[in-house]
Amino acid sequence: MSRLPAGERQFLQRHWRALAHWRPASWGLHLAVRLDGTAIGMQNIWVTGFTTVRSVETGSWIAREHQGKGYGTESRAAVLELAFAHLRALEAYTSFVEGNSASERVSRKLGYVYNGRRVYSRDGVRIVEHGMLMEASRWAPHKGAGISVEGITPACLELFGAE
């Protein structure tokens, strides 16, 4: 019996934990970004208190060899379309670590605006994280062609706290 490498195991456990703790008011959706059937990254969207505050947060990563080709922008646009057009979110938040100009460019390209910063320690290193905000009213002009979400049913909306 072969053992699952630690990275893959941690990835699966994180995904399973999100599914196990899913509630309409608080959930996390972990999506794969695929190119020709191969996973090249992830796009996540999560909420806390969604049924009351109608806010989402997004985060993503794209494998280095696939960066700069628009995949990150397209995958973020897809979850924003889900959030604003289908789940009726009022705002979306994201952040980038200082120096990650590619992540900042994706956020600005999609219409996010600067929303403050926070500083914290990770493994004894000072990290500066910049917050970005997108309000639903700003989404339509930034959506981009070809972005759509399919298969949203009333039962699905109920699971997302958006019925």
Side-chain angles (χ1 to χ4, degrees), residues 42-46 57-61 76 79 93-95:
M42 286 188 66
Q43 177 64 60
N44 299 334
I45 180 171
W46 64 94
E57 293 186 56
T58 64
S60 62
W61 64 265
R76 177 91 61 85
V79 296
Y93 292 91
T94 195
S95 61

Side-chain angles (χ1 to χ4, degrees), residues 66-83:
H66 297 288
Q67 291 178 5
K69 299 175 184 173
Y71 304 126
T73 302
E74 187 175 7
S75 64
R76 177 91 61 85
V79 296
L80 289 173
E81 180 66 5
L82 170 65

